[in-house]
Structure formats: structure tokens, C-alpha cells
Amino acid sequence: MKIPAMILKRLYTTGSLQNANGGVQFSLKNRLSDAKVTAVDHVKVNGNLVALDKLWLEVDGQTTAAAAVSEQNSVDFPLRKIINVITHDGPLDLGKHTIEISVQSTPFGQLEIKVDDEVSVSADLPRLPRSEIDDYGSDTIEARQKFVSEQTGAKLDHITQYSFDPHILKGNIEHFTGVAQIPIGFAGPVKVEGEHAQGDFLIPLATTEGTLVASYNRGIKVLNQSGGVKCTVIGDAMQRAPVFVFNSARGARDLRDWCEANIDSIRREGEATSSVAKLQYIDYYLSNKFAFLRFNFSTGDAAGQNMVGKATNAACHWIIDNYDGVEPIQHFYLESNFATDKKASQVNMMRTRGKRVVAEAVIKREALIQNTRVTPEAILYHSQVANVGAFLSGANNNGLHSANGITAMFIATGQDVANVAESSAGVVYVEPTKEGDLYISITIPSLIVATYGGGTGLATQRECLEILDCYGKGKVYKFAEIVAAVVLAGEISLAAAISSSDWVSSHEQFGRNR
């Protein structure tokens, strides 16, 4: 398996070249997939060959002589793992140097890397304690807590209190030192009539905003008295969007045509990296001399950003290796900013990112007036006025505050909270019914949620998902429907509060803490 040189360069950790212990060292990080180093062919520094008996590979504190590496004595190189390459030849002068390394590996065969890096003066700054052997052990954590306290003069009475084994955090956080305790309140239960979520659900909301839980609870009450919320998942896709750079627009166009003709092979290469990821389609966007390819995958019960990154990377390796167009590819970047990861965007509104979910209900006139003191007509008029405001501002949401409920549920259930930037987009629609009631719906076009992987398996987060019966595989659509139902409850409650002028007075009465 031949890996393109432009991809191999990314295995080298730029800035890792340094003089150490009378010699030199630099680092490689596996950004491909799990592998083993089965031989070291050579290492050169500024074109000068380093003798193998003066070279070592260090992984997790374990050092192996380069000359001893073989098929029988291989060095494990898992995905995201770092190998430090150490030699006693040196030191190097300050400034730029050329590093060449060639190794044999399984399953990639020969890996040859040639890069330029720089030795610079490093500031002797205090460093947080860490351990290569057990960075989540109690001794290491206590050392970090002591370090923070001594460096800042602050006493750590609450950050240090937690009720779980820190070892479960590996892969979720680095330099673990303690916890942030965020209050959790429950709203509901809310009655959901979904295709996957059916029944009454108590909603955990982690927040420090006064009136938030009460507001959602009021909206849920109105929904329940009107028969509940109908929820439907209408789309599912997670993206990675690489860009290929050519010398002209024709090169970009030709790559698009070639990829369309070879989509079956591209799909095969991408899907081979995962038992879950399935390539649905590729969107092509051509501009100037650039070919932007937006890969769209389904990702099961995981949010899937890392999963699709790995799959897209493999697919693009195959494209680079096999593309035979007239114009060669000049540059390749795995992410072009077109997936809009952690950013709201119009392309997500139109094309879906994560789960596309609709929550809708017919609010009974009596329930609305009894609980909120506003009529359907008042909500309708307010909605028309607010649509003008949303249009003028260029907002990606003509509703009121979907981010509130989504963020509170994300924190409680271990979602990636930064995804609220995308997930909070929404399209609200209201109309009167012939019976004088109020139809209201919200489409959430880019709800990025997971019930498996990431932070969902941590202690309190898993508990909150289990309260919803949404932990584990086969539950992500159910969870998405519940989140959408909660968002709709919040829209009804706040719209009524603004329309009836209760908004400020409610915050003054229940939300002040000063």
C-alpha cells in the first residue's frame, strides 16, 4: 500500500525537533490507522546517515534500539500514538534542518518521510505534571492539583471532588485534574410521538441559567395538554470536505468527472476503515482552481466526525494514488472548511449535517391560553414580526432559543458541546388551524448527537442517557427525536412569554442571583 508523500509528511510532528540529552530527537504521530514498525531502514539529518546503533524508538516510555526492530520484534504504532525517534548524534545548531526517515511497516509497507524542521530555543516554563505510564492515576492527578494550587494560589476544594474512576476518561480529556460541577434539573415528562421515541420522557437539563428548566417545563405542559409532540428524523449525514488544488479550473473539473466515474472504488476504500461508516454520496463544489469534495457518510449511533475523517482520508489516499488526469494534483488538504465543523452555515441548512429532525404539534387554544395567557393569534403575529428580524440580521434560525435546550441536554448527556454551533440552527413555521388552534413545527437541519462513543459513556453522562433509555447502539434516532421535542417546548414557552410581556418579569422573579 503506497501512501502519497504529501500524506506521509503529516506523520511528522512539526516543531518536535530538539536537542536532548546530548543528542537529537523528533516525533512521529500515526494519523493513518493501527500499524507496526517492522524495520528501520535509515535516518538522515541534513543528508548525513545516522548509524542504527545510535538510534532508538521510544513509545510510552519503552525504548527499542533501531537495529533490533524486526518482524519478530516489531514496535506497535497504533492510531494517534507518538513515536519519539532519538539519536545520540548531535546536538544540532539552532535553525532549520532536513530530516529523512525510512521504515518498514505493517500494513503500509515502506514509509519514507522527508521534512524540514527547526531547532529553536525553548522557554523553560513550568509544566503540568504528567505520566507516560499512568496519566490518570491518583498520584499523577494529585500532583497536577498541587501544581495548579501552587502556581495560582487558589485552593481547590470543589474541582477535586468526583465520584468515578478517572481511567474511564482516557480518550476524552488530557491533563485531567478535576471536574466542573454543573447543576442538573429535570423537566417533563414530555409526551413524544416519534417513530423511534414513543412515550413520556423526563428530560435532564444541565444549566446555570435561572428560569431555563421552568420555561421548558411550561412548554412541555402545553404540549402534553395538546396531545404531545410528533417527531420525525428526515435526514442523516456526517461530512468531511477535502479540497484538491490544481494549476487551473480545468484540472479541478477533470478530477470531479473522474471521481464520479470511480465512485464505487472511492466508496470501497472509505468504508473499509469502519464497520459503521457508509458513504452515501459526494457533493462537488468547484471554484477557481479548487475542487471541494464534500463526503457524506452515515455513522450509526456515533456523531462520527472522527470516523468520517478517517474514512475520507483513506478514500483520498486512493484518489491521489490512482488519479491520472492531464493536470496533476498540486496540493491536498483533508479539511477545507467546507464541512463547517463547529460552525453554523447555509450549506448545513440546505444539505443536512448530523440528523435532520422535525418536531411538530397542534397546540390547543385552551391549553395555550390557560398556561401562557396568550392566544394563537398573538403567537402568529409575533412570529411574522420575528421573521423580519431574523431575515434582516442574517440569522440561521428564525426561532427563539433552540441553543438553550440543546446545550443543556448536550452537557447532561456527554455530547460534544461545541456542536451546538451547528445544531442550534432551526426553521420555525406556524399557522392557524380551522378550529382556532395553533400548528407549530421546527426543523433542526444539523443536530449532531450520539448515544455511543465520545463522552456518552462517562459516568454521569451515561446515567442521563439511561434515564432517557437512549444509551448505546440503536438509540440515536430516538435521542434526536427527544431533543427536537424539547426544543419545540422551549420555542412555545419563550414565544408566549415575549408575546405576553412575561419574559423580563419572569427572569427578575426567578432568574436573579445577585
Side-chain angles (χ1 to χ4, degrees), residues 351-405:
R351 301 293 288 164
T352 300
R353 180 168 167 84
K355 313 304 184 240
R356 194 178 194 93
V357 197
V358 177
E360 54 191 338
V362 175
I363 305 300
K364 298 300 182 183
R365 186 181 193 88
E366 295 78 11
L368 188 63
I369 295 172
Q370 180 182 352
N371 291 286
T372 69
R373 300 194 304 279
V374 296
T375 64
E377 291 78 14
I379 297 290
L380 282 164
Y381 183 74
H382 174 218
S383 174
Q384 290 177 319
V385 175
N387 277 341
V388 176
F391 173 77
L392 289 174
S393 69
N396 70 337
N397 191 329
N398 69 329
L400 295 169
H401 70 142
S402 59
N404 261 335

Side-chain angles (χ1 to χ4, degrees), residues 380-460:
L380 282 164
Y381 183 74
H382 174 218
S383 174
Q384 290 177 319
V385 175
N387 277 341
V388 176
F391 173 77
L392 289 174
S393 69
N396 70 337
N397 191 329
N398 69 329
L400 295 169
H401 70 142
S402 59
N404 261 335
I406 291 172
T407 303
M409 290 192 73
F410 273 23
I411 295 172
T413 59
Q415 310 301 311
D416 185 340
V417 183
N419 287 330
V420 173
E422 299 147 279
S423 299
S424 62
V427 181
V428 173
Y429 174 74
V430 295
E431 70 179 27
T433 69
K434 61 183 179 180
E435 294 82 12
D437 300 324
L438 179 72
Y439 170 85
I440 182 169
S441 69
I442 184 167
T443 298
I444 306 174
S446 48
L447 182 63
I448 302 174
V449 290
T451 57
Y452 186 77
T456 63
L458 301 183
T460 55

Side-chain angles (χ1 to χ4, degrees), residues 290-409:
F290 310 125
F292 295 88
L293 278 59
R294 201 166 191 258
F295 284 69
N296 293 265
F297 288 86
S298 57
T299 58
D301 294 281
Q305 290 100 318
N306 293 333
M307 183 192 303
V308 304
K310 181 179 178 182
T312 303
N313 195 39
C316 290
H317 285 178
W318 186 87
I319 291 171
I320 292 168
D321 283 343
N322 291 277
Y323 181 61
D324 55 1
V326 175
E327 279 196 25
I329 297 168
Q330 298 298 314
H331 297 287
F332 161 74
Y333 302 98
L334 181 61
E335 181 48 61
S336 65
N337 230 6
F338 212 123
T340 68
D341 200 7
K342 308 297 194 298
K343 296 176 285 290
S345 67
Q346 187 62 30
V347 71
N348 286 349
M349 296 285 287
M350 302 300 295
R351 301 293 288 164
T352 300
R353 180 168 167 84
K355 313 304 184 240
R356 194 178 194 93
V357 197
V358 177
E360 54 191 338
V362 175
I363 305 300
K364 298 300 182 183
R365 186 181 193 88
E366 295 78 11
L368 188 63
I369 295 172
Q370 180 182 352
N371 291 286
T372 69
R373 300 194 304 279
V374 296
T375 64
E377 291 78 14
I379 297 290
L380 282 164
Y381 183 74
H382 174 218
S383 174
Q384 290 177 319
V385 175
N387 277 341
V388 176
F391 173 77
L392 289 174
S393 69
N396 70 337
N397 191 329
N398 69 329
L400 295 169
H401 70 142
S402 59
N404 261 335
I406 291 172
T407 303
M409 290 192 73

Side-chain angles (χ1 to χ4, degrees), residues 30-77:
N30 188 344
R31 294 177 171 88
L32 301 172
S33 61
D34 292 348
K36 293 179 182 291
V37 177
T38 57
V40 178
D41 297 329
H42 67 259
V43 170
K44 294 181 180 179
V45 178
N46 298 324
N48 299 316
L49 189 67
V50 178
L52 291 186
D53 60 0
K54 295 184 178 180
L55 197 66
W56 290 265
L57 305 184
E58 186 268 325
V59 182
D60 287 341
Q62 300 294 317
T63 302
T64 303
V69 178
S70 66
E71 290 275 2
Q72 295 73 32
N73 188 36
S74 61
V75 175
D76 286 337
F77 195 20

Side-chain angles (χ1 to χ4, degrees), residues 84-372:
N84 294 316
V85 181
I86 303 168
T87 173
H88 285 181
D89 277 0
L92 296 174
D93 294 334
L94 297 181
K96 290 186 177 180
H97 301 275
T98 299
I99 305 297
E100 298 177 58
I101 180 169
S102 175
V103 300
Q104 300 295 326
S105 70
T106 303
F108 301 114
Q110 186 178 33
L111 302 178
E112 291 186 283
I113 303 169
K114 183 176 180 180
V115 296
D116 291 327
D117 201 359
E118 186 170 354
V119 176
S120 57
V121 177
S122 59
D124 189 18
L125 298 174
R127 289 173 173 258
L128 280 163
R130 63 184 307 271
S131 169
E132 293 287 350
I133 299 171
D134 185 6
D135 205 39
Y136 299 87
S138 58
D139 290 345
T140 306
I141 294 168
E142 288 172 8
R144 279 196 287 267
Q145 292 167 351
K146 181 180 179 182
F147 175 86
V148 170
S149 184
E150 290 176 347
Q151 288 291 313
T152 65
K155 188 178 181 182
L156 305 186
D157 290 326
H158 303 287
I159 288 174
T160 59
Q161 304 299 315
Y162 48 88
S163 59
F164 53 84
D165 181 356
H167 290 90
I168 67 172
L169 299 172
K170 189 174 183 180
N172 288 104
I173 191 169
E174 301 76 41
H175 291 164
F176 174 70
T177 306
V179 296
Q181 298 181 73
I182 301 174
I184 291 179
F186 282 86
V190 58
K191 182 177 180 61
V192 181
E193 301 281 351
E195 294 177 302
H196 306 274
Q198 298 175 355
D200 299 330
F201 299 92
L202 276 170
I203 306 302
L205 298 169
T207 183
T208 58
E209 181 182 347
T211 76
L212 186 142
V213 176
S215 178
Y216 279 88
N217 207 47
R218 182 172 78 152
I220 286 170
K221 185 178 181 181
V222 173
L223 285 171
N224 288 345
Q225 290 182 2
S226 301
V229 195
K230 184 177 182 179
C231 297
T232 309
V233 178
I234 60 174
D236 182 2
M238 179 51 64
Q239 294 79 25
R240 186 61 58 201
V243 60
F244 294 83
V245 182
F246 292 86
N247 283 327
S248 76
R250 292 179 186 176
R253 180 199 61 191
D254 291 347
L255 177 74
R256 176 201 62 192
D257 297 343
W258 185 89
C259 287
E260 288 178 335
N262 290 275
I263 186 61
D264 290 340
S265 296
I266 294 170
R267 177 176 287 109
R268 181 190 66 241
E269 293 297 319
E271 293 181 355
T273 63
S274 169
S275 61
V276 176
K278 301 298 178 186
L279 178 60
Q280 301 174 17
Y281 56 92
I282 302 174
D283 283 324
Y284 302 92
Y285 299 87
L286 305 185
S287 181
N288 306 96
K289 57 181 182 177
F290 310 125
F292 295 88
L293 278 59
R294 201 166 191 258
F295 284 69
N296 293 265
F297 288 86
S298 57
T299 58
D301 294 281
Q305 290 100 318
N306 293 333
M307 183 192 303
V308 304
K310 181 179 178 182
T312 303
N313 195 39
C316 290
H317 285 178
W318 186 87
I319 291 171
I320 292 168
D321 283 343
N322 291 277
Y323 181 61
D324 55 1
V326 175
E327 279 196 25
I329 297 168
Q330 298 298 314
H331 297 287
F332 161 74
Y333 302 98
L334 181 61
E335 181 48 61
S336 65
N337 230 6
F338 212 123
T340 68
D341 200 7
K342 308 297 194 298
K343 296 176 285 290
S345 67
Q346 187 62 30
V347 71
N348 286 349
M349 296 285 287
M350 302 300 295
R351 301 293 288 164
T352 300
R353 180 168 167 84
K355 313 304 184 240
R356 194 178 194 93
V357 197
V358 177
E360 54 191 338
V362 175
I363 305 300
K364 298 300 182 183
R365 186 181 193 88
E366 295 78 11
L368 188 63
I369 295 172
Q370 180 182 352
N371 291 286
T372 69

